[in-house]
Amino acid sequence: MIRRDVLKSLVALAAVPTAALAAEPGLQLGGESTPFDADTVKNRARALAAKAYVPRPEIPESWRNLTYDQYRKIWFDGRNALWEGTDAPQRVDVFPPGLYFPQAVGMHVVEGGMARKVGFDMGVFDTTDKFPDVEIDETLGYSGLRLRAELEQSGIFQEYAVFQGASYFRGIGTGEIYGLSARGLALNTGDPAGEEFPDFTAFWLERPKAGSDMITLHALLDSPSCTGAYRFDITHGTVLQMKVSATVFAREDMSHVGIAPLTSMFLFDDTMRQRFSDFRPAVHDSDGLLIHNGAGEVIWRPLSNPTSLQISAFGDNNPRGFGLLQRKRQFSDFNDLEALYHNRPAVWITPGEDWGPGSVTLVEIPADLEIYDNIVSYWRPSGGIKAGAEHSMSYTLHWGADPVAATADVPVKVLNTAIGGRPEGGQIVAIDFGPSERVPDDLGEIEIILRTTKGSVTPGIVQMNPETKGPRLAFTFDPGEDVYAEFRAQLRIGGEPLSEVWLYRWTQP
C-alpha cells in the first residue's frame, strides 16, 4: 500500500490556517436516535454475515477522480471538531472522501445509551480556490476520523490516532510521529490469488466522560468472506494503549486469517547497504519482529527487504505477545531531518486470552522505495475459521518508543545486526546486544549458541562494544553455493538465557 505522501499531507493539513467558520459550525448529528448497547454492533455483524456480501455504493465520480494535489486542497477545520467547546476531554476530526477513499464510512455518536448519525456537511471543510467543483449527493460521507486530546499542554488538542482506509488505523505515543499501521483483519496476505482487504464500514464513538483519557470506539467490519464487530478502548499517553475485543463472523471458509495484523516499511539497514546508495545509514519504520512465545522464549527477528517475496511462520501455542519494533531511537541512526524515523512508534500486541495453536507470520515484500509498506506481521490460527463460525478474540496494542514489558526477564536485547562481505570471501555478521548488569566482566563465561541451516560458520567471538556498553557477537559465514540460510544465535550463562534468541534469514543479494 502506498501511503507515505498521504500521511505527510494529512500532517501538513493539520497545520494549515483555517478559514471563516460556517454559519452553524461543528459536525452535526442528524436522524433519529436509536438504542445502542454492547451487543448492537455484534448483532448487526451477525445478521449481515447471514446475507450475501453487497459492496457499499461509491461516492460521485468527481470525488473519486480527485488527483493527489487536488485532494490536498481540502482539509478539516479543527474548530468544527466533534465536542468542540464542551467539557469532553477529546476532539474528533473527520477526513474528506475521495482519491484513495472511494466509499464513505458511517459515523455515529453514542450518548446515554442512544446513537445518532453524524451527517455529511461540506461546511466542516476548508478549501483553496484550486479545489474543483464536486457533486454532493446521498452517497457522500467521511472517509475516516482522527482523535485529539490535551497530550502535553492544557487547551492544546494534539492528535494521537487515525482510523482511515479499509480497516487500517494508526496510533502514536505522546511526542511521536506516525509510522507503522495496524488493521482489523488480514485475509490471504501474500497468497498468489491476491489479498482480500476487509473494510470498517461504520464507527460509533461513545462520548468520553469529563477528565477521562480514554475513549471507546466501535467498528463494523465487512468483506466478501466475513463480517466483524470491533470495540476499541483507547487510552492516550506516552505509550498509547488500545484494548481490542472483536468477533468475526465467517461467510466463507477462511483458511488464511491474520489476527492483529501490523503493516510497516523496511527499506535497508546495516545488513544490506550494498544494495542502496543513500546518504542515510538506514531507512525503516520498524527494524525487527519480537516474539514472546508460549514456551517462554523471547525471539528477535531482524527485518529484511528481500529480492523475492519471503514468508516466515513461527509456530506457537498460546503466544504471550509479539510486535514490530523500532529499536533504533537516535537521530544519527537515520540522519533524516524530514522523515524522523527515530521517532516512529513500536507496537506490541498482548493476547487477552489463550489463542491456541497457530503461528506468528511475517511477510517481507521486495521494495525499492520507502513509500511502500512491504512488511506485514500477524497471528495465523491453525485451521482458519470455517464458514458459519463465530471467532472471538481480544488483545491489547501498545504504541510507543519501548512498549514491551513482557521481556523484562531477559534484559539483554538485540540492538543491531550488521552484515558485510570479506575480501577473501564469506560474510561477517556482527550482532550488538544492549548493556546489562548480568553481563559478566569475564566475557569468557558467556556461552555462545550459534547454528545455521546452510553453509558454514566460524566459532563466534564475544567482545565488549564501548559505544553500546554491551556485548557484540561476531562470526563469519560462508554460504558456499547456497542462496539462503537460517541462523539462530543466543548468549547464555550457566545454561540459562542471557540474551534474546536472534533469528535471521540470509538470502543471496
Side-chain angles (χ1 to χ4, degrees), residues 355-405:
W355 280 2
S359 59
V360 175
T361 302
L362 174 65
V363 180
E364 297 166 303
I365 304 167
D368 56 0
L369 296 172
E370 60 198 279
I371 62 173
Y372 298 111
D373 282 340
N374 63 324
I375 302 294
V376 186
S377 70
Y378 51 87
W379 171 254
R380 182 175 179 177
S382 295
I385 303 175
K386 302 297 182 183
E390 300 182 7
H391 182 86
S392 296
M393 67 275 191
S394 66
Y395 52 94
T396 301
L397 299 98
H398 291 91
W399 307 70
D402 188 12
V404 186

Side-chain angles (χ1 to χ4, degrees), residues 29 40 43 52 123 148 177 243 270 292 328 347 363 380 394:
L29 304 183
T40 297
N43 291 338
R148 293 187 287 124
I177 62 175
K243 291 186 176 180
D270 291 335
H292 194 175
K328 293 184 177 180
V347 176
V363 180
R380 182 175 179 177
S394 66

Side-chain angles (χ1 to χ4, degrees), residues 44-259:
R44 186 167 174 175
R46 181 182 292 112
L48 196 60
K51 305 175 183 178
Y53 173 71
V54 178
R56 288 172 293 153
E58 292 191 333
I59 59 177
E61 186 177 4
S62 56
W63 286 90
R64 301 197 311 270
N65 288 345
L66 291 175
T67 66
Y68 170 72
D69 286 337
Q70 289 173 330
Y71 190 74
R72 294 189 63 191
K73 301 300 188 296
I74 181 172
W75 62 90
F76 182 75
D77 183 335
R79 293 173 292 183
N80 292 326
L82 186 64
W83 302 316
E84 180 72 14
T86 74
D87 65 352
Q90 312 270 351
R91 299 291 182 267
V92 182
D93 303 340
V94 294
F95 294 112
L99 190 62
Y100 304 131
F101 313 106
Q103 296 165 306
V105 177
M107 287 186 58
H108 310 77
V109 174
V110 178
E111 189 171 1
M114 303 298 289
R116 293 186 66 190
K117 186 174 182 179
V118 180
F120 180 78
D121 181 1
M122 192 68 177
V124 303
F125 299 107
D126 281 336
T127 64
T128 73
D129 57 3
K130 301 298 183 181
F131 188 73
D133 291 333
V134 287
E135 181 182 353
I136 307 295
D137 68 9
E138 69 282 355
T139 66
L140 283 174
Y142 307 112
S143 64
L145 60 91
R146 172 170 52 210
L147 302 177
R148 293 187 287 124
E150 298 170 298
L151 304 182
E152 297 178 296
Q153 184 178 343
S154 177
I156 304 299
F157 288 80
Q158 298 170 270
E159 67 179 287
Y160 63 87
V162 166
F163 287 74
Q164 186 185 30
S167 67
Y168 282 85
F169 56 96
R170 305 184 301 278
I172 49 174
T174 301
E176 295 181 327
I177 62 175
Y178 290 116
L180 76 169
S181 303
R183 284 189 271 170
L185 200 67
L187 297 175
N188 306 326
T189 304
D191 282 4
E195 184 170 359
E196 180 178 324
F197 290 91
D199 293 324
F200 283 146
T201 61
F203 295 113
W204 289 260
L205 286 153
E206 295 188 20
R207 180 179 175 130
K209 297 179 181 178
S212 174
D213 57 2
M214 191 270 284
I215 188 170
T216 297
L217 171 70
H218 304 264
L220 176 67
L221 180 139
D222 196 15
S223 185
S225 297
C226 66
T227 66
Y230 285 71
R231 175 188 172 117
F232 298 85
D233 292 320
I234 307 171
T235 304
H236 61 77
T238 303
V239 174
L240 175 70
Q241 176 180 279
M242 294 183 177
K243 291 186 176 180
V244 182
S245 56
T247 301
V248 174
F249 303 87
R251 283 191 174 104
E252 304 174 356
D253 287 343
M254 299 188 295
S255 60
H256 190 167
V257 180
I259 304 297

Side-chain angles (χ1 to χ4, degrees), residues 311-392:
I311 300 178
S312 304
F314 305 89
D316 201 359
N317 188 40
N318 296 327
R320 302 184 189 186
F322 68 96
L324 293 176
L325 274 58
Q326 182 78 314
R327 282 189 167 168
K328 293 184 177 180
R329 308 303 303 180
Q330 302 299 317
F331 171 78
S332 58
D333 292 328
F334 302 94
N335 195 30
D336 194 317
L337 291 170
E338 180 182 358
L340 302 177
Y341 288 114
H342 67 288
N343 206 22
R344 307 289 175 110
V347 176
W348 180 249
I349 298 167
T350 305
E353 65 278 323
D354 289 344
W355 280 2
S359 59
V360 175
T361 302
L362 174 65
V363 180
E364 297 166 303
I365 304 167
D368 56 0
L369 296 172
E370 60 198 279
I371 62 173
Y372 298 111
D373 282 340
N374 63 324
I375 302 294
V376 186
S377 70
Y378 51 87
W379 171 254
R380 182 175 179 177
S382 295
I385 303 175
K386 302 297 182 183
E390 300 182 7
H391 182 86
S392 296

